[in-house]
Amino acid sequence: MKKSLLRKYLEFIRFSHTVFALPFAALACVWALVVPQVNAIHLSSTQIGWRLIGVLLCMVSARSAAMAFNRIVDARFDADNPRTAGRHLPAGQLTVGQAWGFLGSMTAIFIAACGLFLPNWLPLAGAIPVLLWIAGYSLAKRFTSLVHIWLGVALALAPICAWIAMRGEQVIALTSDLWPAVGLAIAIAGWVAGFDIIYACQDADFDRGHGLHSLPARLGIGIALRLAAGLHAAMLVVLCALPWLFPQLSLGRLYFAAWIVIVVLVVRQHVILRPKGSTQLNMGRVNEAFFQINAVIGFLLSAFAAVDSVLR
């Protein structure tokens, strides 16, 4: 019985989608450990271990809480949308009480995990504001078509928060220490906003008819896809510039090899959605473009960048 409920919860929050933000938090942790500190702050191996565990717990619990909140507040819209009517709350596979209980437990775990970084107090101080922002995405579609940017910033917080968690004492002493994580976060924000626009194309008509906001609903799918392509192009430019902007990251051949593959994957993502000569979005390929390709992009970039920084 418990295993069955656990499985439902994992499906409820789309646990597999954790792959979008978690690799970048892991990359930020690696960078935070290998980049020299101006005001050297010594952490024992035990302290480093606890902070790594804390980052993992924070990432999983915060994302789970935000997704649970999304499912709860969107339940009535999900029930009306044929694409989402089979989700757990509309389909009755979970009760609203179970959903709120899960949300409460994930929130408690997140706040408790932030305490693992003490005496670095920054994560605990920022816990509630961060949680409010990432959960706020679920309400943003009620009042702004820039909801995709909201989500991009939400996922972009992953490397920034991980960096602060690992070396917050250094950030307090020298604010500019945070800039490498901010550079990566800017690229992530553009990447996520772009693929969220692609995903939202599936519901453009539904959103328009139910008073929900998105760029595909407001501008049409054609213009929205061009904006998504522009955001992805900007992301590629920022990623290409990171080694020159932050030489302390020691990014070299492995990183640029990954960057070239990512360029190919980003182009493919847009090509399969709008085949040459077609004026219609290929809805059957949206999930491939949204999940499969972007999961590979996140893992590839994070893995190669981490290895490059460590080896050099």
Side-chain angles (χ1 to χ4, degrees):
M1 184 69 176
K2 291 183 178 180
K3 183 178 181 180
S4 177
L5 183 60
L6 175 60
R7 185 181 298 112
K8 287 181 181 179
Y9 278 139
L10 293 177
E11 294 170 351
F12 175 60
I13 60 166
R14 289 284 189 91
F15 186 77
S16 59
H17 287 194
T18 307
V19 298
F20 291 136
L22 189 57
F24 295 106
L27 174 59
C29 288
V30 172
W31 282 353
L33 291 172
V34 301
V35 171
Q37 300 186 38
V38 175
N39 301 298
I41 298 167
H42 176 72
L43 293 176
S44 67
S45 57
T46 300
Q47 287 175 307
I48 292 173
W50 276 114
R51 291 193 178 190
L52 289 172
I53 292 172
V55 169
L56 178 61
L57 288 174
C58 283
M59 287 296 303
V60 173
S61 58
R63 191 237 168 231
S64 298
M67 182 58 80
F69 182 73
N70 175 272
R71 294 296 192 247
I72 292 169
V73 300
D74 276 359
R76 64 186 180 93
F77 295 113
D78 289 343
D80 292 337
N81 188 340
R83 186 181 67 82
T84 58
R87 287 178 176 172
H88 289 68
L89 288 179
Q93 296 180 48
L94 286 175
T95 67
V96 174
Q98 287 173 323
W100 278 111
F102 180 80
L103 170 58
S105 63
M106 289 298 105
T107 300
I109 290 172
F110 174 68
I111 294 174
C114 288
L116 294 176
F117 306 112
L118 292 172
N120 174 12
W121 53 266
L122 288 177
L124 203 54
I128 297 301
V130 166
L131 204 57
L132 288 175
W133 179 267
I134 62 177
Y137 159 75
S138 302
L139 301 176
K141 66 186 74 173
R142 270 83 165 165
F143 58 85
T144 177
S145 297
L146 297 179
V147 58
H148 319 287
I149 303 298
W150 191 302
L151 180 64
V153 173
L155 268 72
L157 289 173
I160 292 176
C161 292
W163 183 282
I164 290 174
M166 295 303 296
R167 51 195 278 165
E169 295 90 345
Q170 174 73 10
V171 173
I172 294 171
L174 187 67
T175 307
S176 61
D177 181 73
L178 188 60
W179 283 117
V182 172
L184 177 60
I186 291 171
I188 293 172
W191 172 57
V192 172
F195 74 63
D196 191 58
I197 291 173
I198 292 171
Y199 191 74
C201 287
Q202 299 176 101
D203 296 327
D205 292 336
F206 179 86
D207 290 346
R208 199 179 295 116
H210 287 74
L212 296 175
H213 297 270
S214 73
L215 288 177
R218 180 176 181 179
L219 303 175
I221 289 176
I223 295 176
L225 286 179
R226 286 194 285 274
L227 289 174
L231 286 167
H232 284 160
M235 175 266 288
L236 292 172
V237 170
V238 174
L239 288 179
C240 187
L242 285 183
W244 286 282
L245 292 173
F246 309 109
Q248 65 267 40
L249 298 178
S250 301
L251 298 172
R253 293 180 180 178
L254 281 176
Y255 177 81
F256 281 110
W259 183 84
I260 291 171
V261 176
I262 289 169
V263 171
V264 174
L265 290 173
V266 167
V267 172
R268 172 174 170 75
Q269 180 175 196
H270 289 271
V271 168
I272 65 175
L273 288 171
R274 183 71 66 82
K276 186 177 181 181
S278 173
T279 59
Q280 300 296 320
L281 180 68
N282 189 347
M283 292 293 184
R285 306 295 292 273
V286 169
N287 278 333
E288 178 184 349
F290 170 73
F291 181 71
Q292 297 176 16
I293 291 179
N294 285 302
V296 172
I297 287 174
F299 177 79
L300 186 70
L301 176 67
S302 299
F304 277 59
V307 171
D308 214 2
S309 294
V310 171
L311 293 182
R312 297 185 74 208

